[in-house]
Amino acid sequence: MEENPVWFGGMLNRVKKLVEDGIIKSLPLRIFNMRGTQENGIDAFRYMQRAQHIGKVIIRIPTPFKYMELDTDTYADSSNGSHEMNIPSNEHGVYIITGGLGGIGRVMIKWMLEEGVRNIAVLSRCASNESLKELVEISEYMKSDSIKIECIKCDVSNKVNVENAFKEISNRFGELTPIHGIFHAAGLLMDGAIASQTIEMMESVYAPKVYGAWNLHECCESLGLNETLRYFVMFSSVASLLGNFGQTNYSAANSCLDSLIGSQ
């Protein structure tokens, strides 16, 4: 490729043309459902062990969200979010993502939509519903009337803000719609050598990640949300165990999350 880029580019164009004309086809796929009733993940390994297959052997991992597991064998995948299932509206609970529409938040939203989640509340200090229009990766999903994503202004490090956010979620999604999941991804970096760390730098990193997690934890208990809550996921880091140069505050904050989860 480096020695003759013109030739290499021409070859890619010829391959592309053969694919478009249907002369070259993709390798066949044999898909097994991990928890399938007819065939499962063990059958996939037995099938591959015979070494008689051509192509790829795929094991489909079932969704973690309960209402999509009602019929994982026949549920049709779709990239535009137009598929529907006959499920009571209150079964589609609300899933909360803290940390706004940053890198992790965007990935989480897209993943949830692909897995069948229909109600998502994004807690952010600055994001708004207008910001959702910038997420081109979920633009097709946003066309569906069955999908509702709401950005709610909230500083999770402030407990009063968190309490008000839960009230706002109830107003926007309906009082009968339970909160099924909380994914705490809020965080902030303020790197510096240990000698240069100040209490302000520590507080800045602790505020969204540690204080935010604790406020969510306390609100779940005081508001009785644990009765319907299925998932409480906090995004920590291996830095809490291994450390990272210039990130003592970040490592310590993640260690707090690890301890909070351990206590639960």
Side-chain angles (χ1 to χ4, degrees):
M1 181 173 64
E2 295 179 355
E3 294 177 359
N4 196 337
V6 176
W7 174 86
F8 190 81
M11 183 188 68
L12 290 180
N13 287 331
R14 290 193 295 273
V15 171
K16 178 174 177 290
K17 182 67 167 55
L18 292 172
V19 172
E20 291 174 345
D21 294 342
I23 298 174
I24 297 179
K25 299 183 183 299
S26 61
L27 292 173
L29 302 178
R30 178 66 188 279
I31 301 176
F32 294 81
N33 286 316
M34 176 65 80
R35 301 177 186 170
T37 55
Q38 301 294 328
E39 295 177 318
N40 54 40
I42 296 176
D43 294 312
F45 284 100
R46 289 173 177 166
Y47 176 75
M48 186 171 61
Q49 189 179 34
R50 293 199 295 265
Q52 297 176 351
H53 65 282
I54 298 176
K56 301 293 183 180
V57 179
I58 307 296
I59 298 179
R60 179 184 290 147
I61 307 298
T63 173
F65 301 111
K66 180 180 177 182
Y67 42 79
M68 288 285 289
E69 291 181 342
L70 297 176
D71 192 4
T72 54
D73 287 337
T74 60
Y75 186 80
D77 292 332
S78 173
S79 61
N80 58 15
S82 61
H83 46 262
E84 297 298 332
M85 295 179 69
N86 186 22
I87 301 170
S89 58
N90 64 345
E91 176 65 18
H92 286 291
V94 180
Y95 289 82
I96 300 172
I97 301 174
T98 71
L101 301 177
I104 295 178
R106 295 175 68 145
V107 171
M108 288 296 300
I109 292 173
K110 185 173 185 293
W111 171 68
M112 287 184 178
L113 292 174
E114 290 173 346
E115 294 295 318
V117 171
R118 291 293 172 263
N119 300 317
I120 300 175
V122 181
L123 305 189
S124 171
R125 290 182 298 175
C126 55
S128 65
N129 285 350
E130 286 296 313
S131 306
L132 295 172
K133 298 178 181 179
E134 302 174 6
L135 306 185
V136 295
E137 61 267 31
I138 64 169
S139 58
E140 291 298 319
Y141 286 99
M142 297 298 293
K143 297 176 182 178
S144 173
D145 294 333
S146 65
I147 292 175
K148 187 172 185 178
I149 305 177
E150 294 284 343
C151 288
I152 298 173
K153 288 189 179 299
C154 175
D155 179 359
V156 292
S157 66
N158 185 307
K159 187 176 181 180
V160 175
N161 272 204
V162 176
E163 291 173 341
N164 291 335
F166 280 119
K167 293 178 183 177
E168 186 64 22
I169 290 171
S170 180
N171 292 335
R172 296 195 192 187
F173 291 93
E175 294 182 359
L176 297 179
T177 305
I179 294 176
H180 281 172
I182 298 175
F183 293 79
H184 181 46
L188 180 70
L189 294 177
M190 191 160 290
D191 298 350
I194 294 179
S196 64
Q197 288 283 346
T198 63
I199 188 62
E200 289 77 17
M201 295 174 68
M202 295 290 292
E203 288 281 350
S204 296
V205 175
Y206 265 58
K209 186 175 284 288
V210 180
Y211 303 157
W214 184 252
N215 290 335
L216 291 167
H217 164 70
E218 286 199 322
C219 284
C220 284
E221 291 191 339
S222 62
L223 300 177
L225 302 179
N226 289 327
E227 296 179 5
T228 60
L229 194 66
R230 298 174 180 171
Y231 310 100
F232 193 156
V233 179
M234 302 181 192
F235 285 77
S236 181
S237 169
V238 71
S240 65
L241 297 175
L242 304 180
N244 206 9
F245 181 78
Q247 293 188 328
T248 51
N249 47 12
Y250 178 72
S251 300
N254 283 297
S255 182
C256 289
L257 293 192
D258 297 345
S259 298
L260 177 56
I261 286 294
S263 68
Q264 291 182 330

